[in-house]
Amino acid sequence: MSPSELTGYIGEMARTLDEAWSRLLPETWQVPQTLVEAMTYSLQAGGKRLRPLLVVAACEDLGGSREAALPVAAAVEMVHTYSLIHDDLPAMDNDDYRRGRLTNHKVFGEAMAILAGDGLLTHAFYSVVQAARRHGVPAESVLSIVEDLSAMAGPRGMVGGQVADMEGEQGETDLERLRYIHLHKTGDLIVFSLLAGGRVAGADEEKLAALRRFGTALGLAFQIQDDILDIVGDESKLGKPVGSDIQQQKVTYPYLLGLEESRREAARLTAEARDTLLDAGFSADCRLLGIADYLMNRDH
Amino acid sequence: MSPSELTGYIGEMARTLDEAWSRLLPETWQVPQTLVEAMTYSLQAGGKRLRPLLVVAACEDLGGSREAALPVAAAVEMVHTYSLIHDDLPAMDNDDYRRGRLTNHKVFGEAMAILAGDGLLTHAFYSVVQAARRHGVPAESVLSIVEDLSAMAGPRGMVGGQVADMEGEQGETDLERLRYIHLHKTGDLIVFSLLAGGRVAGADEEKLAALRRFGTALGLAFQIQDDILDIVGDESKLGKPVGSDIQQQKVTYPYLLGLEESRREAARLTAEARDTLLDAGFSADCRLLGIADYLMNRDH
């Protein structure tokens, strides 16, 4: 997929997802209005929509249906959004702003923000099940998606990575621990997205294994690239001040390896990701490889 | 089931569940130790274990296997426990003690308590899937359990009830709203437990409908009984001071209807629950009816 085709695809996916919320959120059910507002506020805050994009792209690259992938794409964005809401809480990172908007607890209060996060996490599993109920994806495949999501977003996955990040300290965090944090805090949900898209498309074990390796390498490269942009990025494009990691004395790849070595590592991982897909028979102009290139060359 | 048989059954279930945690928690996986400790601390805090008991009893009353019901029983206790951890947080009820022990955030700090709750909620879905993976429950049945759990613990269910409770105020909460709060904050997880036990046992739609009606009536009766015990209970048996609802000017059934009318309503609901099961062909000495009687006659 060429860069311009890809830009169109990314925009199209973001719009499709935004239109899908109203169908996928429990808006018309008997739910306290404030709860729906708090959940919706953060879901609609925008952002890259990278994870849902990966679900749909993996599914479509393997010949699966976009419609069937959408409930799963929405689910992974709900899980990602809940994790941001809880991360921003005063007891955690205590952030007042995210992407230029007030954080959930600054608008709805701490108690509601905790519950909005809990609601999004729980409803994500409901959304996943709708792939079977509304689009006929086999129960066995959807159950594997549920299993992956609970493992990769749970204690062994994202939550575990978050705890390790919270407990990490300068001088104590070495490269192995930093890798653990990145692999789980960020990487697992990226791997999940790819596997889930593959499962919706009915991918075989070989394709799923390739998607897993691709996602692991891509997720790590993505995180290293984030750390690099925090140092050399353009504030106006990033939408946040650069240098915050250094100010907070955060342990990052550039902190441990230096900028040049970090760039080489990100490039090496991206090449590894690329080769993995090509070896597994994905076409050179498939959506996923376009996205990998896009992520490596992004400036925000 | 006779009262003494039932007491034995309840104790046996609690022990079985306590032994099962070590198999069902991600103890031996690569998970930060503090996270596992925080999750385990609250899971092992004891309590009635009512919800897992209902899962196993419904399953066994319908001829299903106890072993197959256990991962689901453990899951509902994980969800119940996560909701208590988050409810106790300073931003919510701000409780320092629960069942005579320090609350999770008093021991592990607020950030870890939030993440331990998130971890338990997410891992509950993993545990549910193990009913299929380890015990051969059909994928379609397990997917329905996942769907029920996400609906009944999520925005439409327990989380919605919690929000309504938080927003409720004396003078504003009427009987209809109080019913909504009880039905969702407490009732939905009880209904879920019964349905899930039925689904593990392969119950047909008629039996599932009866379990749903039984659970709705039983859950409401259980909550009214709780409110009554808060007024007339024995502090030494309850393990908490009585009269706290009145002190906090909480809107309860006795507050709205008076003590006598509340007792009548609880008895009426219990009779309704009983008739529902008998009409659906459950035997008069089944476990679920024993549990219903036990709950109505409890003093704590």
Side-chain angles (χ1 to χ4, degrees):
Chain A
M1 199 172 252
S2 75
S4 71
E5 283 172 326
L6 186 74
T7 312
Y9 186 65
I10 290 173
E12 194 184 324
M13 281 309 106
R15 277 192 304 280
T16 308
L17 196 68
D18 281 342
E19 287 160 15
W21 293 135
S22 60
R23 276 181 289 124
L24 294 165
L25 277 180
E27 183 170 40
T28 55
W29 309 334
Q30 277 203 300
V31 175
Q33 193 51 36
T34 332
L35 177 61
V36 176
E37 280 168 21
M39 289 166 64
T40 311
Y41 174 82
S42 290
L43 274 180
Q44 294 181 340
K48 297 183 196 71
R49 307 287 194 211
L50 170 64
R51 293 153 194 82
L53 178 70
L54 291 173
V55 177
V56 175
C59 180
E60 292 192 326
D61 274 346
L62 289 163
S65 134
R66 179 184 300 185
E67 274 304 306
L70 267 186
V72 181
V76 71
E77 191 69 3
M78 288 179 206
V79 171
H80 177 58
T81 302
Y82 117 77
S83 78
L84 299 181
I85 294 175
H86 282 190
D87 278 9
D88 287 338
L89 285 167
M92 309 271 281
D93 289 349
N94 195 21
D95 281 319
D96 291 353
Y97 289 91
R98 175 174 290 276
R99 295 175 192 144
R101 298 170 86 216
L102 285 169
T103 46
N104 198 287
H105 65 272
K106 294 305 283 183
V107 178
F108 298 96
E110 261 184 82
M112 189 63 77
I114 294 168
L115 290 165
D118 294 344
L120 283 167
L121 169 56
T122 316
H123 193 64
F125 287 94
Y126 188 83
S127 192
V128 165
V129 176
Q130 301 318 305
R133 296 286 180 260
R134 299 190 193 178
H135 304 284
V137 181
E140 188 50 61
S141 304
V142 178
L143 204 60
S144 293
I145 297 175
V146 169
E147 189 172 24
D148 286 347
L149 182 58
S150 57
M152 293 182 191
R156 280 187 294 177
M158 190 180 67
V159 170
Q162 177 65 24
V163 170
D165 190 21
M166 204 169 74
E167 291 182 328
E169 277 173 44
Q170 207 174 25
E172 294 207 356
T173 303
D174 57 13
L175 197 61
E176 190 190 354
R177 192 170 174 87
L178 183 64
R179 235 181 99 88
Y180 177 91
I181 294 170
H182 284 343
L183 280 176
H184 296 293
K185 190 179 170 180
T186 324
D188 275 343
L189 223 47
I190 287 175
V191 172
F192 165 77
S193 302
L194 293 159
L195 285 179
R199 291 192 194 279
V200 171
D204 60 23
E205 286 305 319
E206 194 201 329
K207 286 279 195 301
L208 291 176
L211 286 172
R212 183 188 291 274
R213 285 197 303 276
F214 172 74
T216 305
L218 185 75
L220 206 46
F222 175 74
Q223 191 58 54
I224 296 172
Q225 184 74 347
D226 248 16
D227 291 348
I228 293 170
L229 284 172
D230 187 79
I231 297 174
V232 302
D234 179 334
E235 298 201 355
S236 67
K237 284 180 182 158
L238 286 168
K240 61 178 181 184
V242 300
S244 67
D245 287 350
I246 294 176
Q247 251 181 14
Q248 294 168 34
Q249 306 202 300
K250 227 179 131 184
V251 179
T252 63
Y253 264 77
Y255 173 90
L256 289 174
L257 297 181
L259 203 52
E260 272 320 297
E261 184 58 28
S262 298
R263 279 191 174 125
R264 268 194 296 274
E265 180 66 5
R268 190 189 65 74
L269 286 163
T270 307
E272 181 187 314
R274 185 180 178 81
D275 291 346
T276 300
L277 280 204
L278 292 175
D279 289 351
F282 283 77
S283 110
D285 69 340
C286 70
R287 295 161 188 83
L288 290 178
L289 288 177
I291 294 169
D293 285 342
Y294 167 82
L295 288 177
M296 266 320 282
N297 297 314
R298 73 200 157 108
D299 53 12
H300 66 283
Chain B
M1 197 171 254
S2 74
S4 71
E5 283 173 327
L6 186 75
T7 312
Y9 187 66
I10 291 173
E12 195 184 324
M13 281 310 105
R15 278 192 303 279
T16 307
L17 196 69
D18 281 343
E19 287 160 15
W21 292 135
S22 59
R23 275 181 290 126
L24 294 165
L25 277 180
E27 183 170 42
T28 55
W29 308 335
Q30 275 204 302
V31 176
Q33 192 53 34
T34 332
L35 177 62
V36 176
E37 281 168 21
M39 289 167 63
T40 311
Y41 175 83
S42 290
L43 274 180
Q44 294 182 339
K48 297 183 196 70
R49 307 287 193 212
L50 170 63
R51 292 155 194 82
L53 178 71
L54 291 173
V55 176
V56 175
C59 180
E60 292 193 325
D61 274 347
L62 289 163
S65 134
R66 179 184 300 184
E67 274 306 306
L70 268 185
V72 181
V76 72
E77 191 70 3
M78 288 178 206
V79 171
H80 177 58
T81 302
Y82 116 77
S83 78
L84 299 181
I85 294 175
H86 282 190
D87 278 9
D88 288 337
L89 286 168
M92 310 271 281
D93 289 349
N94 195 20
D95 281 320
D96 291 354
Y97 289 92
R98 176 174 289 277
R99 296 175 192 145
R101 298 170 86 214
L102 285 170
T103 46
N104 198 288
H105 65 273
K106 294 304 282 185
V107 178
F108 299 95
E110 262 185 82
M112 189 63 76
I114 294 168
L115 290 165
D118 293 344
L120 283 168
L121 169 57
T122 316
H123 192 63
F125 287 94
Y126 188 83
S127 192
V128 166
V129 176
Q130 301 318 304
R133 296 287 180 259
R134 299 190 192 178
H135 304 285
V137 180
E140 187 50 62
S141 304
V142 177
L143 202 61
S144 293
I145 297 174
V146 169
E147 189 172 24
D148 286 347
L149 183 58
S150 57
M152 294 182 191
R156 280 187 295 175
M158 190 180 67
V159 170
Q162 177 65 24
V163 169
D165 190 22
M166 206 168 74
E167 291 182 328
E169 275 173 45
Q170 207 174 24
E172 293 205 359
T173 303
D174 57 12
L175 197 61
E176 191 190 352
R177 194 172 172 86
L178 184 63
R179 235 182 97 88
Y180 177 91
I181 293 169
H182 284 344
L183 280 176
H184 296 293
K185 190 179 170 180
T186 324
D188 275 343
L189 222 48
I190 287 176
V191 172
F192 165 76
S193 302
L194 294 158
L195 285 179
R199 290 193 194 279
V200 171
D204 60 24
E205 285 305 319
E206 193 202 330
K207 286 279 194 300
L208 291 176
L211 286 172
R212 183 187 291 274
R213 285 197 303 275
F214 172 75
T216 304
L218 185 75
L220 206 46
F222 176 74
Q223 191 57 53
I224 296 172
Q225 184 74 348
D226 248 17
D227 291 349
I228 293 171
L229 284 172
D230 188 79
I231 297 174
V232 303
D234 180 334
E235 298 200 353
S236 67
K237 284 177 181 159
L238 286 169
K240 62 178 180 183
V242 299
S244 67
D245 287 350
I246 294 176
Q247 253 183 13
Q248 293 168 32
Q249 305 201 300
K250 225 180 132 183
V251 179
T252 64
Y253 265 76
Y255 173 90
L256 289 175
L257 296 182
L259 203 53
E260 272 321 297
E261 184 57 29
S262 298
R263 280 190 173 127
R264 268 193 296 273
E265 180 65 5
R268 190 190 66 73
L269 286 162
T270 307
E272 181 187 316
R274 185 179 178 81
D275 292 347
T276 300
L277 280 204
L278 292 175
D279 289 351
F282 283 77
S283 111
D285 69 340
C286 71
R287 295 161 187 82
L288 289 178
L289 288 176
I291 294 170
D293 285 342
Y294 167 82
L295 288 177
M296 266 319 282
N297 297 314
R298 73 200 157 108
D299 52 12
H300 66 282

